[in-house]
Structure formats: C-alpha cells, structure tokens
Amino acid sequence: EHMLFQGSENFEPGELVKYFQTIGMQFGPDANAYTSFKETVYDIILPDGKSKSISGGLLVMKDFAQGALLFEEQLESERKVVLAEKQSRDSAAYRIFEATLNFQFPGSILPRRLPIGDEDVLKKLDRNLVKGFYDAWYRPENMMVVMVGDFDLDEATALIKETFSDMDARASARTMPDLGNIQHQGI
C-alpha cells in the first residue's frame, strides 16, 4: 500500500500529499492505509461532503485502484521504509504475537505470511513483481468503496458510478492461496 501514495496517473510522485494539503487534509491523520491478512484498506477523510471534495477523493481512490505508476525509484525508497517498519516491530510483544499465531493456526500459511512481508522477499522486490501483484489483485471484483458522512447520497452514488464504471482488470485473476488445514489442539 505504501507505493500507491508514491505517484499515479493523476498525481506525480510527491504531488498527492501536496494535493491533500491544498484541500485542507494532512497525510497520516486524513489519508492513510493498512494491510491485514485479508485486505488492504485506504482511508481518506475529506474536509467536507461537497461534490468537489468527493470527486477529488474518488479520483485518488481510482488512482489507488488502477493508476499506480510504481516507479523503481519510489519502490527503492519505500523498501527502506517497510524494512525499517519491520525492524521496529521486532519486540517481545510482536514475537509473542507470532508465537500465538503459530499456536492458533498450525498447518496454516498465516503464521508464515505476515502482512509486513518476508525480509528476503522485501529486499529482492522489483517493479515487475510489484506490478504483477498490483495488476492481478487490484481488480474491480476485489474492491469496494465505503463512504460515511454528511453528503448527498444520490450525488455520491452518481460520482462513484462515473468514476469507477470504466474500470477493468489488467491481468488474469489469481487463485486465493490455500490457508491450510488448521487443526488446533491444546490450551
């Protein structure tokens, strides 16, 4: 998810944060993302529910969905950020979390496939691998838009349809990985 803030069809590298600032948003509190075992979520808290704000927010989301540029330079920069994030998690509490996953999900890939990624894989990532993943998994049938707030529902619905109706998958769908045969035993 880090890479989607680093340049897209409508926002060159470094421009997205500037765009957020021009409409009264801050990167972090108002625009952020996270990845869990089963989803990646992009949050954008717009300054108001007016048509212009919603339209701009949906443009950003559409770029996240299909317009990422995934430049090698930004990949290298974000690789360092993710590796530092991974290193900062190396604590007793995180090791307990990992041990708990191993105990709770024996026979599953979950304890071996943490969302932060494997350090060896992170170090070897290249643009082709990231682009292949992005094109295969960021596809219309895997996505949803959720809007909450004070806005005109009919207008928002029309803007969502207008923004996303031409979206197509860019690569063949991949099969969801088999989570394994979880047979937990013990206390």
Side-chain angles (χ1 to χ4, degrees), residues 72-148:
E72 193 69 45
E73 307 84 61
Q74 279 70 35
L75 179 62
E76 189 56 40
S77 173
E78 288 306 310
R79 175 193 331 270
K80 292 173 187 171
V81 172
V82 173
L83 286 169
E85 188 177 313
K86 184 172 176 54
Q87 184 179 19
S88 74
R89 291 182 183 185
D90 187 16
S91 65
Y94 196 74
R95 289 189 293 276
I96 289 170
F97 167 71
E98 290 179 308
T100 302
L101 284 177
N102 278 307
F103 177 76
Q104 291 174 329
F105 302 107
S108 169
I109 66 169
L110 293 177
R112 298 185 316 274
R113 302 267 308 263
L114 298 174
I116 191 72
D118 179 83
E119 189 169 334
D120 290 334
V121 173
L122 290 168
K123 288 179 178 177
K124 295 175 185 173
L125 280 177
D126 64 15
R127 184 184 187 280
N128 290 334
L129 185 62
V130 173
K131 178 94 168 96
F133 178 90
Y134 177 72
D135 288 346
W137 292 103
Y138 280 62
R139 46 191 314 107
E141 66 269 23
N142 289 348
M143 297 179 189
M144 72 172 79
V145 174
V146 176
M147 290 178 58
V148 178

